[in-house]
């Protein structure tokens, strides 16, 4: 009897359940949980070793081999495959004039991000490697947020380059702490106690905090980024402020945003996510 194609059947975390709901609610709309990193790589690069390194990470982490389905009962489940093959694409644009390069790379990345994942068909990550010059590459990593978050990515990238330095092998990396351990820990928690805590924290928040009119039939869009640079005086003032009050810069920025949203909405109690 041959080996099973599956090595695990797991529940979902509450956050994963929410993402799966939105993904299957409208399978033709933009999936706003498809995220992307575009990394510039300078210096000699062996694409075959880089590809092997990514594959080694998929082999190493069960959570990167998970597909997501709804049972006939409607309950969500993630099915972990024994083996998946990394979707990998290489494009050589090094022959193009330098002034045309950024727009072409951006178009390629946008097309990758617009292409939806089938959440039932892992892996929910794919790599596009674009050669833009001699010893210059752009690595576009497109992934679904249901399997990777902001805490995971730095760890994954550190492991990627460790595997690359080892010739495409993850054998020398520390033992993995399985994601399933976290799911088991979640299952042991008192869900009703958690609900009570959130009801208390959100008491009085009876409606959304809106700073612009709601367009009921608007299509979902990917997040955009706004960049701003603090001048030297503001930078120094913020540094003095956080040191004087024992705060983090993130806390100060979120506090300032909360005050601004309160003024925009005319409310003293505002709710926003970060």
């Amino acid at each position: 009897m041959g080996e099973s194609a599956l090595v695990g059947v797991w529940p979902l975390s509450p956050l994963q359940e929410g993402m799966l709901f939105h993904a299957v609610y409208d399978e033709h709309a933009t999936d706003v949980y498809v995220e992307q990193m575009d990394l510039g790589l300078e210096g000699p690069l062996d694409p075959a070793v880089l590809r092997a390194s990514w594959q080694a990470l998929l082999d190493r982490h069960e959570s990167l081999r998970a597909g997501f389905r709804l049972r006939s009962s409607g309950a969500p489940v993630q099915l972990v495959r024994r083996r998946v093959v990394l979707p990998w694409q290489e494009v050589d644009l090094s022959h193009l004039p330098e002034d045309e390069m950024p727009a072409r790379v951006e178009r390629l990345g946008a097309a990758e991000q617009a292409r939806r994942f089938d959440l039932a068909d892992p892996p929910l990550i794919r790599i596009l490697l674009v050669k833009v010059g001699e010893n210059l590459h752009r690595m576009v990593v497109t992934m679904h947020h249901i399997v990777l978050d902001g805490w995971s990515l730095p760890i994954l990238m550190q492991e990627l380059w460790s595997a690359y330095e080892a010739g495409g092998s993850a054998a020398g990396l520390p033992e993995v702490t399985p994601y399933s351990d976290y799911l088991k820990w979640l299952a042991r928690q008192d869900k009703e106690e958690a609900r009570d805590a959130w009801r208390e924290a959100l008491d009085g928040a009876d409606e959304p905090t809106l700073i612009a009119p709601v367009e009921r039939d608007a299509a979902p869009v990917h997040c955009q980024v706004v960049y701003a640079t603090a001048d030297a005086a503001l930078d120094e003032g913020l540094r003095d402020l956080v040191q004087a009050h024992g705060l983090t810069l993130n806390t100060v920025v979120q506090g300032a945003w909360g005050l601004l949203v309160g003024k925009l909405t005319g409310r003293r109690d505002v709710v926003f996510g970060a």
Side-chain angles (χ1 to χ4, degrees):
M1 189 171 179
E3 283 187 319
S4 169
L6 297 178
V7 293
V9 180
W10 299 347
L12 277 64
S13 71
L15 192 60
Q16 286 179 313
E17 286 187 27
M19 292 178 189
L20 180 61
F21 169 81
H22 284 289
V24 301
Y25 179 76
D26 186 347
E27 296 182 342
H28 301 288
T30 299
D31 189 340
V32 296
Y33 292 111
V34 175
E35 301 187 339
Q36 194 171 77
M37 290 193 308
D38 182 353
L39 305 176
L41 307 179
E42 298 184 18
L45 182 74
D46 187 329
V49 174
L50 183 60
R51 182 177 186 176
S53 301
W54 274 111
Q55 183 63 54
L57 295 187
L58 297 186
D59 296 343
R60 168 176 166 81
H61 294 285
E62 291 182 333
S63 57
L64 297 181
R65 305 197 303 273
F68 298 79
R69 296 177 180 271
L70 296 176
R71 295 183 184 271
S72 56
S73 64
V77 65
Q78 48 185 317
L79 306 176
V80 181
R81 292 190 187 175
R82 184 175 303 279
R83 171 77 176 172
V84 296
V85 177
L86 171 75
W88 174 271
Q89 182 183 3
E90 288 183 48
V91 177
D92 187 350
L93 299 182
S94 59
H95 61 282
L96 291 180
E98 191 172 335
D99 59 345
E100 294 182 19
M101 197 83 69
R104 284 290 298 274
V105 174
E106 187 174 340
R107 284 200 297 272
L108 287 170
E112 281 294 286
Q113 189 163 21
R115 187 157 56 96
R116 291 179 63 106
F117 285 100
D118 177 357
L119 295 194
D121 187 18
L124 304 182
I125 183 171
R126 52 180 178 254
I127 309 299
L128 167 66
L129 185 67
V130 184
K131 183 176 182 179
V132 295
E134 186 66 29
N135 292 330
L136 291 173
H137 292 78
R138 299 286 288 274
M139 183 173 67
V140 181
V141 183
T142 306
M143 63 212 132
H144 201 284
H145 192 21
I146 201 167
V147 293
L148 283 165
D149 62 10
W151 289 95
S152 310
L153 281 173
I155 299 171
L156 194 71
M157 297 310 297
Q158 184 178 15
E159 290 191 354
L160 173 70
W161 297 118
S162 294
Y164 181 84
E165 290 174 0
S169 170
L173 292 173
E175 185 177 350
V176 172
T177 300
Y179 180 65
S180 56
D181 286 2
Y182 170 65
L183 296 175
K184 292 172 184 175
W185 176 85
L186 274 180
R188 296 194 298 269
Q189 305 312 300
D190 188 327
K191 292 183 175 57
E192 196 54 45
E193 183 180 352
R195 292 189 185 97
D196 289 342
W198 281 108
R199 287 190 190 102
E200 181 178 349
L202 297 174
D203 184 40
D206 301 320
E207 58 182 335
T209 301
L210 302 176
I211 59 174
V214 175
E215 297 182 42
R216 296 292 180 185
D217 299 322
V221 296
H222 287 291
C223 295
Q224 297 181 346
V225 179
V226 176
Y227 293 97
T229 302
D231 59 28
L234 177 57
D235 185 53
E236 184 178 353
L238 288 171
R239 192 162 54 244
D240 292 343
L241 179 66
V242 299
Q243 289 177 352
H245 295 277
L247 301 171
T248 65
L249 184 58
N250 182 54
T251 301
V252 171
V253 171
Q254 291 202 38
W257 174 245
L259 290 171
L260 175 60
V261 171
K263 291 213 175 269
L264 290 173
T265 58
R267 293 165 58 178
R268 292 180 57 82
D269 191 2
V270 299
V271 179
F272 60 91

